Amino acid sequence: MLPGIGVFGTGNVVKVVVPFLREKGFKIEAIWGRALKEAQDVAKELEIPFFTNKIDDVLLRKDVDLIFIICSPNLHSQISVKALGIGKHVLCDKPAGLCQSEALKMVRASQYYPSLISIVNHSLRFLPAFTQMRKAIMDGFLGNEEEITVCDVRVQMGSLLHDYYDWLCDDTMGGGVLTLVGSHVIDLVSHLLSQRAVRVHGVVRTFIKTTKEINGIRHISSPDFCTFQMEMNKGALVTVTLNNHLPGMFNQEVIICGKGGHLVVRGGDLYRYKAGSSKEEVMYLDVEDLQKYGSINPIAANVIPRPYMKGLFKMMGALREAFLPVEDKRGWIKEPVASAATFEDGLYVQAVIDALRKSSANREWIKVEQILEG
């Protein structure tokens, strides 16, 4: 039997996630919003029976066994730790908290309750092009681990902001391209290469500090551009550019080079180039229509890039499989979500983000140091 779900958040992602979960057989029992009116409006739109602006009102409901945290990052750690402590499974949006100390609390809670599912929404891991790319790397297409040389990632897109001031405008609350897109990229690169960053050098900038709609006393502090390098523990060098200055467009390209050739994912398509050949070959083309996943809110669909949306659907499909009965044993198993990002992965990502912020401030290479106590 699939668990009842409690949702924290009222944004566009929620308006995509809830219909999909419902079509997959999940019951959405409750929703939380920062303001009661906000929660009420979304509950009415999505036909969710219970709404509130109090965290415990959702967590303590007996018909809720799985928590979806899709709200501002400053609440991720608090809700995750509470939910695990009372026996609820958790899927938390990225990033895992605002800093390493918050992410560490999440890790400890997940370790204390290992029988519960606790994963971070780094959905690109589930995008078919990247699952195929990882398999090709593990099968040695680029050579052995030490022969992987360069990974180059470029993400170009429009602004992440709304037409009003909210947490997305505030760097201290987790807004900005580094946390919201960079966290995906940092996790994805580590997942694909099976390597982790040891040193980083980055430039993080906020170029647009006011807009026509957002001006006056409060200015935008969340970064809209960053570029950084990561030296990985097995020798690969990673370069990343994240740009929010191209309205109306989304372009994402991930290239990984090695002695055997290179692999590249453009959007949702995977290509390969074998050393010595004359041209790239198609390995996987993303021709799957998103409508196969059911009705999608058109406004939300314009906000969430297709690769991220498709990866999210794939991840939620795996989550559903985890709760299906196995043979005669009722309950759930973790295998379908074994490739999902754990809270430990979230802590690593946060360590890299902390190092990048320090690097940008000090204008120097910074060692990635993961805290063990806090």
Side-chain angles (χ1 to χ4, degrees):
M1 182 177 178
L2 296 177
I5 293 178
V7 177
F8 285 86
T10 54
N12 284 315
V13 177
V14 172
K15 296 175 183 179
V16 169
V17 165
V18 167
F20 178 81
L21 289 170
R22 193 170 277 142
E23 288 172 7
K24 289 296 180 182
F26 287 99
K27 289 187 68 177
I28 316 302
E29 302 288 359
I31 188 168
W32 171 94
R34 188 177 297 276
L36 189 61
K37 180 66 165 59
E38 189 177 80
Q40 182 181 21
D41 291 345
V42 176
K44 182 178 179 181
E45 178 183 344
L46 299 177
E47 299 179 350
I48 299 172
F50 179 81
F51 62 89
T52 182
N53 63 344
K54 296 179 181 178
I55 291 173
D56 289 351
D57 286 353
V58 174
L59 294 180
L60 296 175
R61 287 183 66 91
K62 292 182 179 179
D63 55 2
V64 170
D65 292 304
L66 173 60
I67 301 297
F68 267 59
I69 304 171
I70 320 174
C71 56
S72 56
N74 62 303
L75 293 172
H76 288 184
S77 180
Q78 174 189 345
I79 298 171
S80 296
V81 172
K82 269 191 171 185
L84 290 169
I86 56 176
K88 312 287 186 179
H89 305 282
V90 175
L91 186 151
C92 181
D93 202 9
K94 81 298 167 194
L98 290 177
C99 58
Q100 283 196 70
S101 60
E102 289 190 357
L104 183 60
K105 290 176 184 177
M106 296 169 65
V107 169
R108 287 176 173 168
S110 66
Q111 291 173 340
Y112 197 77
Y113 302 98
S115 62
L116 297 172
I117 288 177
S118 53
I119 57 179
V120 181
N121 172 26
H122 287 305
S123 56
L124 288 179
R125 289 183 176 217
F126 289 84
L127 191 70
F130 287 123
T131 59
Q132 295 285 338
M133 177 184 259
R134 186 169 189 264
K135 183 178 184 304
I137 292 171
M138 295 180 70
D139 289 344
F141 179 80
L142 299 177
N144 61 42
E145 292 177 339
E146 287 72 25
E147 292 174 329
I148 295 175
T149 53
V150 174
C151 174
D152 183 67
V153 182
R154 298 176 186 272
V155 184
Q156 302 176 78
M157 61 195 301
S159 174
L160 297 171
L161 305 178
H162 296 139
D163 291 335
Y164 51 87
Y165 191 95
D166 62 3
W167 69 269
L168 290 167
C169 302
D170 193 337
D171 184 44
T172 63
M173 290 187 69
V177 70
L178 177 59
T179 51
L180 300 181
V181 180
S183 60
H184 274 304
V185 171
I186 294 164
D187 175 78
L188 177 67
V189 168
S190 179
H191 179 65
L192 292 172
L193 301 181
S194 299
Q195 300 185 38
R196 289 199 164 185
V198 291
R199 290 202 313 155
V200 300
H201 184 276
V203 177
V204 184
R205 291 286 184 271
T206 305
F207 287 103
I208 308 299
K209 298 183 179 180
T210 62
T211 67
K212 182 179 179 181
E213 297 83 10
I214 305 169
N215 52 57
I217 296 174
R218 294 187 294 188
H219 286 186
I220 299 163
S221 62
S222 56
D224 49 41
F225 176 86
C226 65
T227 182
F228 57 90
Q229 297 168 293
M230 300 188 293
E231 287 186 355
M232 310 303 280
N233 63 315
K234 296 177 184 176
L237 179 65
V238 179
T239 62
V240 178
T241 300
L242 310 174
N243 184 357
N244 280 158
H245 291 259
L246 294 164
M249 116 176 229
F250 175 81
N251 180 47
Q252 178 172 277
E253 183 177 72
V254 178
I255 303 174
I256 302 179
C257 304
K259 185 177 180 180
H262 71 251
L263 296 164
V264 53
V265 171
R266 299 186 182 100
D269 304 326
L270 172 63
Y271 302 87
R272 69 180 182 183
Y273 173 86
K274 192 168 183 63
S277 62
S278 59
K279 62 180 181 178
E280 287 182 348
E281 300 175 350
V282 175
M283 284 191 72
Y284 174 84
L285 285 179
D286 181 11
V287 296
E288 192 176 47
D289 190 345
L290 276 172
Q291 294 305 319
K292 114 173 226 189
Y293 297 104
S295 56
I296 298 174
N297 183 294
I299 297 175
N302 289 333
V303 173
I304 305 168
R306 178 188 173 99
Y308 293 84
M309 189 181 299
K310 182 164 287 188
L312 181 59
F313 288 154
K314 295 286 186 181
M315 184 177 68
M316 290 189 296
L319 189 62
R320 178 183 183 275
E321 290 179 22
F323 286 101
L324 294 177
V326 182
E327 296 178 354
D328 295 330
K329 179 183 176 182
R330 297 186 64 80
W332 55 273
I333 55 172
K334 286 191 175 183
E335 282 79 2
V337 290
S339 62
T342 63
F343 283 3
E344 287 86 352
D345 295 319
L347 176 60
Y348 158 73
V349 169
Q350 195 63 59
V352 176
I353 290 175
D354 287 353
L356 285 168
R357 285 176 171 149
K358 188 174 180 180
S359 171
S360 183
N362 296 350
R363 301 184 180 183
E364 63 183 2
W365 282 89
I366 296 293
K367 183 179 178 182
V368 176
E369 297 181 312
Q370 195 165 299
I371 64 172
L372 300 176
E373 296 182 1

